[in-house]
Amino acid sequence: MATTSEDVWRLLAELTAAQKETDKQLKELGKQIGGLGAKFGSFTEGLALPSMETILGQQFGMEVISPSVRVSKEGQHLEIDVLAYSNGELNTAYIVEVKSHVRQEDITQLKSILQRFRRFFPEHKDKKLYGILAAVDLSPELREKILQEGFYVARIHDQVFELDIPDNFQPQTY
């Protein structure tokens, strides 16, 4: 069977069209996967909120507990899964980051949020500030790293998040 240059060009055009269609489908699949990831993150945050409200209110005495706090200032943005604070004698604030599966960069992210917090919330500049990493899935090694950073660890147990810290734990104040 002889192939003419016309046949080669036709085949090339068909391949190019097929590649464009494949690229379009992959892009759409990427959007869908990204959407699922965001929904799962929101689901995890929703799962953690009732337990974190109990911990923050009853164990730490926080008066205000706000889920999903977003602030923008001078072109910069900060997102906090849960912000809790108390004025008066306690004069303390807690930032909670909720993760389904903790990675090293999540520890770095929480540290960054704590370090930038007062720039976004000058009204809380005099408060003691603490971090809590609430996780569904967490390796023992990462738990130790989180504790070494001075962050509280909260883990899910029987569908309820509980603090998972040693008796001698000393949290880091930011």
Side-chain angles (χ1 to χ4, degrees), residues 63-169:
E63 300 166 332
V64 177
I65 301 168
S66 301
S68 193
V69 176
R70 291 177 176 84
V71 62
S72 296
K73 199 173 249 187
E74 300 168 2
Q76 299 287 313
H77 307 285
L78 188 67
E79 250 183 76
I80 299 172
D81 292 340
V82 181
L83 170 61
Y85 62 89
S86 187
N87 300 312
E89 277 185 48
L90 279 178
N91 205 34
T92 302
Y94 288 86
I95 291 174
V96 182
E97 275 299 296
V98 181
K99 301 293 178 188
S100 54
H101 179 78
V102 176
R103 298 180 319 265
Q104 175 64 43
E105 51 266 27
D106 297 323
I107 300 169
T108 306
Q109 177 189 10
L110 179 55
K111 194 174 200 173
S112 171
I113 291 169
L114 288 160
Q115 290 168 342
R116 299 174 12 198
F117 178 78
R118 286 183 173 81
R119 186 175 32 178
F120 286 92
F121 294 94
E123 64 273 23
H124 297 301
K125 70 178 185 290
D126 297 329
K127 286 184 171 55
K128 289 178 275 179
L129 182 61
Y130 299 100
I132 301 174
L133 218 152
V136 173
D137 182 40
L138 174 66
S139 72
E141 296 80 24
L142 279 176
R143 177 184 175 270
E144 283 308 308
K145 286 183 179 182
I146 294 165
L147 294 169
Q148 286 169 6
E149 286 290 341
F151 301 144
Y152 288 91
V153 175
R155 308 231 353 229
I156 196 161
H157 178 72
D158 292 335
Q159 300 178 349
V160 175
F161 280 83
E162 300 171 340
L163 288 180
D164 179 19
I165 55 173
D167 292 338
N168 62 349
F169 176 70

Side-chain angles (χ1 to χ4, degrees), residues 27-52:
K27 188 175 180 181
E28 179 59 32
L29 185 59
K31 284 182 189 177
Q32 291 174 359
I33 290 170
L36 282 175
K39 286 179 182 175
F40 189 67
S42 296
F43 171 76
T44 305
E45 290 169 23
L47 180 67
L49 187 60
S51 303
M52 293 314 303

